[in-house]
Amino acid sequence: MTDFSFACTGVRADPYAAGPTLVFRLRVTASDRARVHALALRCQLRIEPARRGYGDAEAGRLTDLFGERSRWGQSLNPVQFAQVSVMVPGFTGEAETDLVVPCTYDMDIASTRYFHALEEGEVPLLMLFSGTAFTGAGGFRVEPVPWDREAAFRMPVKTWREMVDQHFPGSGWIRLPRDTMDALLAHRSRRALPSWQATVEELLETAGERTP
């Protein structure tokens, strides 16, 4: 059996993607410089929040995910970020490839709320690998990638912010049920409000949550 190991050497925001996208650079190493015809790889990305510290402002924004800081000893559990696949072309011994991860700015998603809460520093990620390898120097055989293959990586928070700012500069994004959206649209039309921002501000002022 070929022994595989994985390492993440960097990450960047894709400036040309249609939606928010991160591109992780992976290094794949096969033991004894084995010949690999192709590698069908699956990767689960998980946030490990207990592996970094948090300022008071960050802790306040993370309350809805993990509760009060006093409970974090029990509640600071891993958060699922993404699950993606990539086909690595043939190589001998070692190769590098891009792992493309589509992202969202939907605040209903726990990972998005976590990223949004951070001001600076790094995001501790754990990459869990599995898949199928097609190997053989003089022939062809199929081998599984063991489920215990993993790699830790610390993604700069500024990379996430750069990605978001490329697609949502200076703004946020929320998802609403269709009936709520229809009601907001009707309210905006009745009041002849020029934008969604003006609509939300008018509702906040009516509720006494914002000074006119």
Side-chain angles (χ1 to χ4, degrees):
M1 295 286 289
T2 305
D3 187 24
F4 289 96
S5 61
F6 302 90
C8 182
T9 61
V11 62
R12 59 183 173 84
D14 187 347
Y16 306 109
T21 303
L22 293 171
V23 181
F24 292 85
R25 190 67 176 171
L26 291 183
R27 180 183 297 129
V28 185
T29 303
S31 61
D32 301 322
R33 292 193 56 78
R35 173 61 179 156
V36 179
H37 301 293
L39 180 61
L41 193 62
R42 294 185 296 274
C43 179
Q44 179 187 144
L45 290 93
R46 195 169 69 189
I47 301 167
E48 302 277 295
R51 296 187 176 183
R52 62 157 284 166
Y54 303 91
D56 291 340
E58 292 174 328
R61 289 191 289 268
L62 290 169
T63 301
D64 67 327
L65 286 178
F66 305 120
E68 298 296 329
R69 194 192 282 268
S70 60
R71 297 181 49 228
W72 282 11
Q74 293 76 41
S75 64
L76 212 61
N77 298 316
V79 176
Q80 177 75 11
F81 173 27
Q83 186 162 324
V84 294
S85 300
V86 61
M87 180 63 73
V88 182
F91 64 94
T92 299
E94 186 175 278
E96 291 198 357
T97 190
D98 286 338
L99 183 70
V100 179
V101 180
C103 302
T104 178
Y105 200 32
D106 185 349
M107 288 297 175
D108 284 342
I109 306 300
S111 59
T112 302
R113 297 206 303 278
Y114 177 84
F115 292 134
H116 183 75
L118 304 183
E119 295 178 348
E120 57 185 13
E122 298 171 327
V123 179
L125 297 176
L126 185 64
M127 299 179 168
L128 306 170
F129 297 97
S130 61
T132 304
F134 304 90
T135 64
F140 186 89
R141 66 176 182 268
V142 179
E143 304 180 37
V145 176
W147 284 88
D148 62 352
R149 303 296 92 167
E150 61 184 43
F153 181 70
R154 300 186 74 87
M155 181 181 73
V157 172
K158 65 180 182 180
T159 303
W160 168 265
R161 295 197 176 279
E162 176 188 342
M163 178 198 70
V164 170
D165 288 343
Q166 288 173 357
H167 296 274
F168 307 101
S171 61
W173 190 94
I174 59 173
R175 177 166 55 91
L176 296 172
R178 184 171 299 170
D179 56 348
T180 303
M181 192 68 189
D182 290 343
L184 278 174
L185 183 58
H187 178 82
R188 175 179 173 179
S189 298
R190 286 193 304 269
R191 299 298 183 93
L193 297 167
S195 65
W196 286 118
Q197 179 178 344
T199 303
V200 173
E201 288 178 347
E202 194 265 354
L203 288 171
L204 288 173
E205 290 169 8
T206 302
E209 299 290 337
R210 184 184 180 98
T211 301

